Amino acid sequence: MDTFLISTGVVAVAEIGDKTQLLALILAARFRRPLPIILGIFVATVLNHFAAGWIGQQVAGMISPLILRWIIGLGFLAIAAWALVPDEMGEEEAQIKPYGAFLATAVAFFLAEIGDKTQVVTVALALKYQPLWAVIAGTTLGMMIADVPAVFVGKWIAARMHILRYVRFVAAAVFALLGVLALLGVGG
């Protein structure tokens, strides 16, 4: 039980203010379907954290922190540039089938978690604590505790679509800052 509780707490705290919280907010505003988004976050997190934990137990320390820092930093800068491109969503486009929101969320979250601090934390927890299933269950619950409220905030924002014009600029600025900080090695 200690492994589960430690994993939950560490990831819930690590996820606060993370890019995936912003992603949850943006996806909820875009798709306006909280349940498929929450399920997509859950599935992506289980798969990503299982892979991270398993890999962490198998090949600890094989990736250079410097290389990882550059990959993450450049990735954030690319996402910042992408966020500046206005969304061409029309009102009829917002009516997307539930599996469309689910698939988009699952894929986006899985990819966003690659090299993320919560994935690194999952690797570290899997190295230190056993059994692996308790680590994964805990890290997944921690992600859900942090990201599900962002989904409901995003749904609230979607009802006020005029706000979304500004969200992309804020998102671009946040991702650009994260990219620069990662390249400078801050927080790593």
Side-chain angles (χ1 to χ4, degrees):
M1 192 65 165
D2 286 348
T3 298
F4 173 75
L5 294 175
I6 289 168
S7 298
T8 300
V10 168
V11 169
V13 169
E15 184 66 8
I16 294 172
D18 194 66
K19 70 182 181 293
T20 48
Q21 272 192 323
L22 181 60
L23 180 60
L25 184 133
I26 291 169
L27 287 167
R30 168 68 174 94
F31 291 113
R32 304 178 200 170
R33 295 183 180 263
L35 185 58
I37 293 168
I38 291 167
L39 291 174
I41 292 169
F42 177 77
V43 168
T45 301
V46 169
L47 294 174
N48 189 287
H49 287 198
F50 175 78
W54 184 81
I55 289 170
Q57 288 183 343
Q58 303 300 316
V59 291
M62 292 181 76
I63 297 175
S64 159
L66 178 63
I67 292 172
L68 185 59
R69 185 177 84 206
W70 276 93
I71 291 170
I72 292 168
L74 294 174
F76 279 143
L77 291 174
I79 293 169
W82 181 31
L84 288 173
V85 177
D87 194 1
E88 298 296 325
M89 176 179 71
E91 198 56 37
E92 67 283 348
E93 237 182 318
Q95 302 303 320
I96 295 175
K97 295 180 179 166
Y99 63 83
F102 169 79
L103 286 176
T105 302
V107 170
F109 259 79
F110 186 85
L111 294 175
E113 276 296 299
I114 295 173
D116 191 55
K117 66 184 170 192
T118 52
Q119 188 184 49
V120 173
V121 166
T122 300
V123 170
L125 289 167
L127 290 171
K128 184 170 174 124
Y129 297 102
Q130 298 292 328
L132 181 60
W133 70 264
V135 171
I136 305 312
T139 59
T140 300
L141 180 60
M143 285 285 290
M144 300 308 287
I145 288 169
D147 290 334
V148 168
V151 171
F152 291 103
V153 169
K155 186 177 181 215
W156 177 84
I157 287 175
R160 293 141 185 90
M161 288 302 286
H162 64 282
I163 295 173
L164 286 181
R165 281 183 261 165
Y166 306 106
V167 170
R168 68 184 172 97
F169 293 112
V170 172
V174 168
F175 283 119
L177 177 64
L178 290 172
V180 168
L181 291 175
L183 289 173
L184 294 174
V186 175

